[in-house]
Amino acid sequence: MTTQPVVTLEEPRVRRRPADVALDYGLYAALVALIVYFSVASPYFWTQANLLNIGLAVSLNGIMAAAMTVALIAGQLDLSIGACLALSAVITAMAIQDLQLPALVAVLLAVGAALVVGLLNSALVIQVGINSIIVTIAVALTVRGVAQILTDGQAVAITDLSLQRFVNSRPLGIPTPLILLVVVFAVLFVLLQYTRTGWHVYAVGGNVIAAIRNGVAAKRIYFGVFLLTAGAAGLCGALSAGRAASGGPFFGATTEFDVLTAVLLGGVGLSGGAGRIERTLAGVLLIGVLNNGLTLLSVDTYVQATVRGAVFLLAVVLGAIAAKRMTR
């Protein structure tokens, strides 16, 4: 009697194309290359003080980029975060300066106002069914206009410096906004990778109809991501007011593009359903290193603006490539 050979089924190994490998690891390679180059080009770059300055410089945009990553994975885009930041900064300044409220109360009022903007965005997207890009652009124009009306187009100075002292504090030598950045990324990383809610975010962004058929509450996810982006912008607006000891309607004028650049550089496509938040952090750091290095090398401001524009264009291209990779 002969025995039959045991047949094992193994998944075929898919050979990854060089382009896929480059897209997956190119961001990290570029970040390392920039760090090495600026460390050689400037003796001031690789110092503890300068590295902390980079972290401080990217902290607020980084917090908003983390929130935007979650929104984009869910298939939504919030372009009102810059205006929301400005309104929150104005409310913080007016609450402290004009109403003589404690700094903590002022920050809570600012975040609350930002959450109202998030509620408006979510209602228009979910209930009315308007595309999130159109909605948030219209809301941004309205919100920034409200900030200008409240201040008559002028910045509101804050003479009570308690909030500024908090923002500029350095527990264990680390700037407070940088600590908040790390906390936000850590919390959202756990949310996306290890919770049912995170799975639902990916599912809704990948195929909303299939997600709904599998019992995912898509509207609840959309509601949550708009509150997340608005809340992050509100917090950053309050912190911006504390850092500058003032709040004005012009705050956050290019925030949407800076944040979107970091997120798209991280490989999060505009179509949703894919992306990793740690790659967004790498995109945030790359932009911070680039800006800091160019400044240390005394590169002309118009050249720096050109470089930032080119990086944004590259980020858009990478976002489009990421979307195509999802459909193949």
Side-chain angles (χ1 to χ4, degrees):
M1 181 177 178
T2 58
T3 58
Q4 295 295 326
V6 178
V7 179
T8 59
L9 296 178
E10 295 183 358
E11 292 186 3
R13 292 186 178 179
V14 179
R15 269 188 93 171
R16 303 184 66 201
R17 299 188 305 175
D20 290 333
V21 176
L23 286 171
D24 286 340
Y25 299 103
L27 172 64
Y28 301 112
L31 177 59
V32 171
L34 281 177
I35 291 173
V36 171
Y37 172 73
F38 288 128
S39 298
V40 173
S42 172
Y44 306 106
F45 180 83
W46 194 256
T47 62
Q48 180 180 353
N50 188 60
L51 295 178
L52 289 176
N53 284 337
I54 294 175
L56 179 61
V58 304
S59 57
L60 299 187
N61 280 351
I63 290 171
M64 290 182 285
M68 185 72 82
T69 299
V70 180
L72 275 178
I73 292 174
Q76 301 298 325
L77 179 60
D78 187 352
L79 294 178
S80 67
I81 55 174
C84 197
L85 182 149
L87 178 64
S88 300
V90 165
I91 290 176
T92 301
M94 295 181 68
I96 295 175
Q97 187 66 25
D98 298 338
L99 302 179
Q100 301 293 306
L101 295 176
L104 178 59
V105 175
V107 171
L108 292 176
L109 284 175
V111 174
L115 292 176
V116 171
V117 176
L119 285 172
L120 177 60
N121 285 332
S122 62
L124 292 173
V125 171
I126 297 170
Q127 303 300 330
V128 185
I130 310 174
N131 182 277
S132 63
I133 297 177
I134 303 300
V135 165
T136 54
I137 289 176
V139 169
L141 294 173
T142 304
V143 169
R144 197 174 287 277
V146 170
Q148 290 175 326
I149 292 171
L150 289 174
T151 62
D152 198 24
Q154 303 297 317
V156 178
I158 304 175
T159 55
D160 181 353
L161 302 182
S162 57
L163 181 58
Q164 186 180 49
R165 285 193 292 269
F166 169 76
V167 175
N168 292 333
S169 63
R170 296 198 171 204
L172 302 176
I174 303 174
T176 297
L178 181 54
I179 295 175
L180 293 175
L181 172 70
V182 174
V183 170
V184 168
F185 267 94
V187 170
L188 293 183
F189 174 81
V190 172
L191 173 75
L192 289 174
Q193 299 300 320
Y194 299 106
T195 69
R196 182 181 296 272
T197 300
W199 182 85
H200 287 174
V201 169
Y202 280 101
V204 168
N207 189 324
V208 64
I209 296 177
I212 292 173
R213 288 176 177 173
N214 282 278
V216 177
K219 290 183 178 180
R220 188 177 301 173
I221 295 297
Y222 292 155
F223 176 78
V225 297
F226 281 116
L227 286 186
L228 179 64
T229 54
L235 175 62
C236 292
L239 295 176
S240 297
R243 178 186 294 180
S246 66
F250 49 83
F251 278 34
T254 62
T255 294
E256 300 91 347
F257 299 103
D258 296 335
V259 168
L260 197 55
T261 298
V263 177
L264 293 178
L265 278 177
V268 181
L270 291 172
S271 58
R276 294 186 65 88
I277 200 165
E278 64 270 24
R279 291 181 59 84
T280 295
L281 180 58
V284 169
L285 292 176
L286 186 146
I287 294 173
V289 167
L290 182 62
N291 290 338
N292 179 267
L294 293 176
T295 301
L296 288 178
L297 297 181
S298 300
V299 176
D300 291 332
T301 54
Y302 59 85
V303 176
Q304 293 188 38
T306 303
V307 171
R308 281 193 288 270
V311 171
F312 179 70
L313 178 61
L314 174 63
V316 172
V317 172
L318 291 177
I321 294 174
K324 287 185 176 180
R325 291 174 74 193
M326 281 290 296
T327 58
R328 74 167 189 242

